[in-house]
């Protein structure tokens, strides 16, 4: 069956959309590819159709559980065997999926990138023949992308370790720089990049300058002129709930959605939206990635999006059926400082980077360093995402190399008598299991394996022990539990012996993060300039994403209609008095002085500014800084303005 026949047989389509056939034929010809299609233009079909024609399993890395579930439901409706390994599965469902993959009855397996850290998963997937690796939302692999995720940088290495012959990268939002960065990381030839036009003529973009006091009324007015279903995007979880409640008072059927809701509630809200029962969802960006609803008629930004890339993704959920859809942004500068503060809060300070280097130097034994991410990140006062980025940078510099990860605690309990298990084996295998059981420390019914003793005394490899326990679990002879994910790195100790070299390294890393922060702030400024354009919004949006084939004027955006947005803050923020700021900082310093910390190193202007602005930090949580009355005193003000003020005082 050729690809055109498969397209009709499995998917019921008589023809391909732009770029799909070229991508599929490249892959089936053995050419790894990068496909850049607009949101809703059928990127997923490229791997789904290709997977049918490949001999072995296609492994799909997807960033969101909702995205996986949506695609799994679609594949099931087409009779294509697909599954996922994710946190929503029970132990029995997880095991059943492994068995189906092992038996070859699954063509497509979807996982998150974090799944590769799971020691048990890596042992399993290495035993499975793989035909293709698919990376969805592949812009996450680029440091220059808007949604960089450090773990994605390890995907090229996983691909090599698993000997996967073919790679497909999928994204809707890639600037020229990001596009070439993605392709280079997987050695994809320039000729194998498939990019269709970015412009979608059915999206009517409108930027409206709105004072905060008028925003609710304008939102209600806008929604009353719309028909069908749509999404209202906000920045904060509390705002989602407040705005949804306000809309209901105007007889509009609306529900809030955000990551703070239990998963069952989120699923119910999503189901009601998909079925049409709830036409309006007021949501944070947690909503949307897994939504494949063709008839979304409007997307309204109540708050500013984080970047042009985010804006593009979010409006791209409208009008996937090709019919007219309205994308309205109710814009002012009130939320600008909130968006910028996310960036400033994620930028590690030099002393935090130095703290990490000290930990690596002091805790490395025989060239290896072990850590559990969250406790060490908190110890260094670095948020988890930038901490992961910092580790990746150290890897790229050749100072550390990720070797493997393991569970600090692996325990099991017998579901049948130990003697009955041993009776099923003979010779060396029976002796091996007997030794493992004998060197497990039992507390009541749960036993914890003594890997160190088994390794040094009996030369038993950890992976063999884990594989044996997995086999016993599959046969329902034992119950197996794992926790305490521990990362193990090889350390190039010679590079860390010279104090001056380490100091230079800390400075270099500090400059890297500072440049990254400046880049993100510049990205936000670019968004502000875009909203205030007096030229076609659609044309400029497309050119941002390296599509130069668009018309100069779309004729149906607010700029083409002569309605230009002039963005201001609704109410100029008021500064606290100098006395109030001084009192707040004295209270902050006093609280830290009561802890066993080096206050001289910690109390930088940056940390003081983060306290005054109210930026969450691990250190603030640990020492109950958030409970102080001065925390967030300058929360309505921009970070840079507060920093400049306390730097000169």
């Amino acid at each position: 069956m050729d690809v055109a026949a498969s397209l009709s047989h499995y998917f019921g389509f008589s023809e391909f959309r732009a770029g799909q056939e070229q991508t599929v034929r490249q892959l089936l010809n053995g050419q790894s590819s990068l496909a850049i299609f607009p949101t809703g233009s059928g990127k997923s079909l490229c791997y789904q159709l290709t997977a049918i024609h490949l001999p072995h399993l296609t492994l799909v890395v997807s960033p969101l559980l909702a995205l996986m579930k949506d695609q799994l439901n679609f594949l099931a409706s087409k009779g294509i065997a697909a599954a996922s390994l994710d946190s929503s599965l029970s132990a029995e469902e997880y095991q059943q999926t492994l068995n189906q993959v092992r038996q070859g009855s699954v063509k497509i397996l979807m996982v998150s990138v974090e799944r590769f850290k799971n020691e048990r998963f890596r042992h399993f997937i290495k035993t499975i023949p793989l035909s293709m690796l698919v990376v969805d939302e592949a812009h996450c692999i680029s440091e220059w992308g808007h949604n960089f995720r450090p773990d994605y940088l390890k995907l090229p290495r996983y691909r090599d370790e698993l000997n996967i012959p073919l790679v497909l990268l999928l994204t809707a939002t890639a600037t020229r720089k990001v596009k070439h960065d993605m392709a280079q990381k997987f050695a994809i030839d320039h000729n194998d990049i498939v990019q269709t036009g970015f412009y979608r003529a059915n999206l009517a973009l409108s930027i409206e300058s709105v004072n905060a006091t008028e925003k609710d009324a304008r939102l209600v007015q806008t929604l009353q002129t719309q028909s069908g279903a749509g999404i209202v995007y906000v920045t904060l979880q509390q705002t989602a709930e407040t705005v949804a409640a306000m809309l209901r008072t105007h007889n509009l059927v609306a529900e809030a959605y955000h990551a703070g809701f239990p998963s069952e509630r989120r699923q119910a809200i999503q189901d009601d939206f998909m079925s049409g029962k709830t036409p309006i969802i007021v949501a944070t960006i947690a909503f949307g990635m897994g939504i494949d609803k063709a008839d979304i008629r409007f997307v309204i930004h109540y708050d500013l999006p984080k970047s042009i890339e985010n804006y593009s993704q979010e409006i791209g959920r409208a009008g996937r059926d090709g019919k007219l859809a309205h994308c309205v942004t109710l814009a002012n500068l009130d939320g600008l400082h909130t968006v910028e503060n996310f960036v400033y809060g994620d930028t590690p300070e030099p002393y935090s980077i130095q703290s990490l280097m000290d930990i690596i130097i002091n805790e490395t034994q025989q060239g290896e360093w072990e850590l559990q991410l969250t406790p060490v990140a908190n110890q260094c006062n670095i948020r988890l995402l930038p901490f992961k980025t910092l580790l990746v940078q150290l890897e790229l510099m050749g100072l550390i190399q990720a070797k493997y990860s393991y569970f600090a605690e692996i325990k099991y309990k017998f579901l049948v008598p130990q003697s009955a298990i041993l009776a099923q084996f003979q010779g060396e295998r029976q002796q091996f299991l007997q030794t493992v059981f004998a060197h497990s420390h039992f507390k009541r019914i749960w036993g914890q394996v003594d890997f160190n003793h088994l390794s040094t005394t009996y030369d038993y490899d950890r992976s063999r022990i884990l594989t044996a326990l997995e086999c016993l679990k599959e046969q329902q002879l034992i119950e197996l539990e794992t926790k305490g994910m521990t990362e193990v790195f090889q350390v190039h100790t010679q590079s860390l012996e010279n104090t001056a070299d380490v100091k230079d390294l800390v400075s270099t890393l500090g400059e890297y993060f500072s440049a990254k922060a400046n880049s993100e702030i510049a990205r936000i400024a670019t968004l502000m300039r875009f909203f205030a354009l007096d030229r076609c919004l659609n044309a400029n949006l497309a050119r941002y994403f390296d599509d130069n084939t668009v018309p100069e004027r779309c004729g149906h955006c607010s700029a083409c209609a002569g309605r230009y947005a002039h963005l201001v803050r609704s109410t100029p923020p008021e500064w606290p008095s100098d006395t109030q700021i001084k009192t707040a900082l004295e209270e902050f310093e006093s609280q830290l002085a009561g802890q066993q910390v080096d206050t001289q190193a910690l109390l930088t202007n940056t940390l003081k500014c983060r306290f005054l602005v109210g930026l969450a930090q691990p250190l603030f949580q640990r020492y109950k800084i958030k409970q102080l009355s001065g925390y967030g005193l300058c929360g309505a003000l921009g970070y840079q303005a507060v920093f400049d003020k306390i730097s000169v005082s």
Side-chain angles (χ1 to χ4, degrees):
M1 187 182 293
D2 65 20
V3 293
S6 296
L7 181 70
S8 175
H9 176 76
Y10 286 98
F11 300 98
F13 301 140
S14 59
E15 59 184 24
F16 287 98
R17 294 187 188 181
Q20 289 178 331
E21 184 173 10
Q22 180 185 348
T23 303
V24 171
R25 293 197 182 280
Q26 283 179 183
L27 292 167
L28 293 177
N29 196 38
Q31 299 159 245
S32 291
S33 301
L34 163 58
I36 307 171
F37 301 170
T39 300
S41 295
K43 294 186 297 297
S44 299
L45 184 133
C46 294
Y47 81 76
Q48 293 165 350
L49 182 55
T50 303
I52 296 168
H53 290 266
L54 294 174
H56 305 302
L57 182 71
T58 289
L59 186 63
V60 180
V61 176
S62 185
L64 278 181
L65 180 58
L67 200 62
M68 292 187 207
K69 295 301 184 187
D70 185 66
Q71 294 190 18
L72 287 176
N73 291 336
F74 174 77
L75 289 166
S77 73
K78 303 301 179 184
I80 299 170
S84 69
L85 293 175
D86 60 69
S87 58
S88 71
L89 300 181
S90 66
E92 293 74 22
E93 290 170 332
Y94 188 93
Q95 196 60 51
Q96 183 181 11
T97 301
L98 294 184
N99 291 338
Q100 290 171 341
V101 172
R102 187 178 289 108
Q103 293 161 9
S105 59
V106 171
K107 285 297 291 181
I108 297 172
L109 179 66
M110 307 189 76
V111 298
S112 68
V113 69
E114 290 79 14
R115 182 64 52 183
F116 286 93
K117 291 184 175 183
N118 186 307
E119 186 179 17
R120 294 163 65 182
F121 171 72
R122 289 202 318 279
H123 277 297
F124 165 75
I125 204 65
K126 284 180 180 178
T127 67
I128 305 299
L130 298 170
S131 286
M132 181 167 64
L133 172 67
V134 179
V135 184
D136 204 1
E137 304 295 332
H139 55 266
C140 294
I141 201 171
S142 175
E143 292 173 273
W144 308 110
H146 67 290
N147 193 25
F148 170 59
R149 293 175 62 164
D151 287 332
Y152 268 65
L153 280 183
K154 298 180 182 179
L155 285 172
R157 180 165 60 85
Y158 294 142
R159 183 256 183 117
D160 292 340
E161 289 178 1
L162 296 171
N163 296 314
I164 307 175
L166 202 59
V167 174
L168 171 61
L169 307 182
L170 300 172
T171 185
T173 49
T175 60
R176 180 180 297 182
K177 188 174 187 179
V178 170
K179 175 171 62 176
H180 292 303
D181 190 27
M182 288 188 290
Q184 183 271 329
K185 284 182 167 66
F186 283 94
I188 293 173
D189 189 89
H190 177 74
N191 293 324
D192 295 325
I193 299 175
V194 183
Q195 182 169 8
T196 61
F198 184 87
Y199 172 54
R200 291 177 58 197
N202 66 311
L203 297 187
L205 309 188
S206 180
I207 313 300
E208 301 183 13
S209 303
V210 181
N211 188 289
T213 58
E214 304 167 347
K215 188 181 280 190
D216 284 355
R218 185 74 67 87
L219 176 62
V220 170
Q221 181 184 21
T222 302
L223 288 172
Q224 288 173 339
T225 65
Q226 300 294 326
S227 60
I231 307 170
V232 178
Y233 278 112
V234 299
T235 301
L236 303 176
Q237 294 181 359
Q238 183 58 50
T239 307
E241 297 186 41
T242 303
V243 170
M246 180 274 296
L247 293 178
R248 289 194 292 271
T249 66
H250 288 82
N251 299 317
L252 292 164
V253 182
E255 287 290 343
Y257 181 105
H258 58 69
F261 288 155
S263 58
E264 298 82 4
R265 183 176 178 185
R266 293 200 306 272
Q267 188 61 52
I269 294 169
Q270 179 175 320
D271 291 345
D272 286 346
F273 177 69
M274 296 298 289
S275 69
K277 183 178 178 181
T278 303
I280 302 170
I281 298 294
V282 185
T284 62
I285 57 172
F287 185 80
M289 291 286 281
I291 302 301
D292 189 14
K293 185 174 173 64
D295 61 347
I296 293 176
R297 298 270 63 87
F298 58 88
V299 168
I300 299 174
H301 281 89
Y302 182 87
D303 290 328
L304 293 175
K306 290 173 61 179
S307 66
I308 288 184
E309 288 89 343
N310 284 86
Y311 173 74
S312 172
Q313 277 192 334
E314 288 152 19
I315 64 171
R317 289 164 192 142
R320 294 186 181 184
D321 55 7
K323 298 177 182 178
L324 177 65
H326 293 274
C327 305
V328 181
T329 301
L330 305 178
N332 56 45
L333 299 183
D334 294 351
L336 181 61
H337 66 285
T338 302
V339 178
E340 290 180 338
N341 286 352
F342 281 122
V343 176
Y344 290 117
D346 271 350
T347 305
E349 288 202 74
Y351 80 82
S352 294
I353 301 173
Q354 181 65 58
S355 296
L356 176 61
M357 300 312 303
D358 292 341
I359 289 171
I360 295 174
I361 293 168
N362 295 330
E363 295 185 1
T364 296
Q365 296 183 2
Q366 297 179 325
E368 288 189 355
W369 173 51
E370 298 188 4
L371 82 155
Q372 293 184 19
L373 292 176
T374 301
V376 177
N378 289 344
Q379 185 178 346
C380 298
N381 195 37
I382 305 175
R383 289 180 179 176
L384 194 56
L385 179 61
F387 184 75
K388 291 178 180 178
T389 304
L390 182 51
L391 293 179
V392 169
Q393 286 304 310
L394 291 174
E395 285 194 70
L396 295 176
M397 291 176 170
L399 296 170
I400 62 176
Q401 180 181 354
K403 293 187 66 178
Y404 58 91
S405 57
Y406 68 89
F407 290 104
E409 183 178 337
I410 297 176
K411 61 182 184 178
Y412 64 94
K413 69 177 179 180
F414 294 111
L415 299 178
V416 301
Q418 182 180 153
S419 57
I421 297 176
L422 294 173
Q424 296 186 28
F425 301 90
Q426 295 179 345
E428 193 276 338
R429 294 180 71 192
Q430 184 187 70
Q431 181 61 47
F432 169 75
L433 284 176
Q434 191 169 24
T435 306
V436 170
F437 294 158
H439 292 86
S440 298
H441 305 299
F442 281 87
K443 293 182 179 179
R444 301 185 68 182
I445 60 174
W446 287 96
Q448 194 165 344
V449 182
D450 188 343
F451 285 102
N452 289 334
H453 186 79
L454 289 167
S455 173
T456 56
T457 305
Y458 296 94
D459 198 27
Y460 285 169
D461 184 71
R462 179 186 179 88
S463 63
R464 183 188 177 190
I465 299 170
L466 190 60
T467 300
L469 294 175
E470 286 283 2
C471 289
L472 296 179
K473 174 180 167 37
E474 287 177 29
Q475 298 171 47
Q476 297 185 331
L477 300 174
I478 65 170
E479 185 174 331
L480 188 62
E481 283 193 1
T482 53
K483 60 182 179 180
M485 178 64 73
T486 302
E487 309 278 344
V488 181
F489 289 90
Q490 185 75 39
V491 180
H492 192 267
T493 53
Q494 293 178 338
S495 301
L496 302 177
E497 290 175 351
N498 188 300
T499 303
D501 290 343
V502 173
K503 187 176 180 180
D504 289 342
L505 171 65
V506 171
S507 177
T508 299
L509 288 167
E511 291 169 3
Y512 163 80
F513 279 103
S514 178
K516 192 169 174 60
N518 291 337
S519 174
E520 289 299 311
I521 295 299
R523 194 194 302 275
I524 296 169
T526 300
L527 177 71
M528 295 300 101
R529 288 195 298 272
F530 170 77
F531 283 158
L533 280 173
D534 59 1
R535 301 179 306 281
C536 178
L537 299 172
N538 268 310
N540 279 274
L541 187 62
R543 291 194 187 102
Y544 181 83
F545 291 107
D546 202 30
D547 177 7
N548 297 304
T549 63
V550 294
E552 285 293 324
R553 287 173 53 86
C554 70
H556 56 259
C557 71
S558 55
C560 283
R563 302 193 314 272
Y564 311 132
H566 178 60
L567 307 188
V568 296
R569 291 195 72 161
S570 302
T571 304
E574 293 186 9
W575 280 89
S577 69
D578 290 349
T579 301
Q580 287 175 303
I581 292 175
K582 181 181 178 182
T583 301
L585 289 176
E586 288 174 349
E587 182 186 28
F588 176 44
E589 294 178 26
S590 176
Q591 180 79 355
L592 280 182
Q595 315 296 329
Q596 293 183 339
V597 295
D598 183 355
T599 52
Q600 187 172 0
L602 277 178
L603 281 171
T604 61
N605 285 338
T606 297
L607 193 68
K608 293 175 183 178
C609 183
R610 290 176 179 179
F611 167 74
L612 289 172
V613 172
L615 297 185
Q617 300 283 283
L619 180 145
F620 294 167
Q621 184 74 27
R622 191 186 327 154
Y623 297 127
K624 301 180 179 179
I625 300 300
K626 288 185 176 183
Q627 298 177 12
L628 301 179
S629 59
Y631 178 75
L633 176 68
C634 301
L637 299 157
Y639 176 94
Q640 193 60 53
V642 176
F643 183 85
D644 291 343
K645 182 175 181 62
I646 64 173
S647 295
V648 298
S649 59

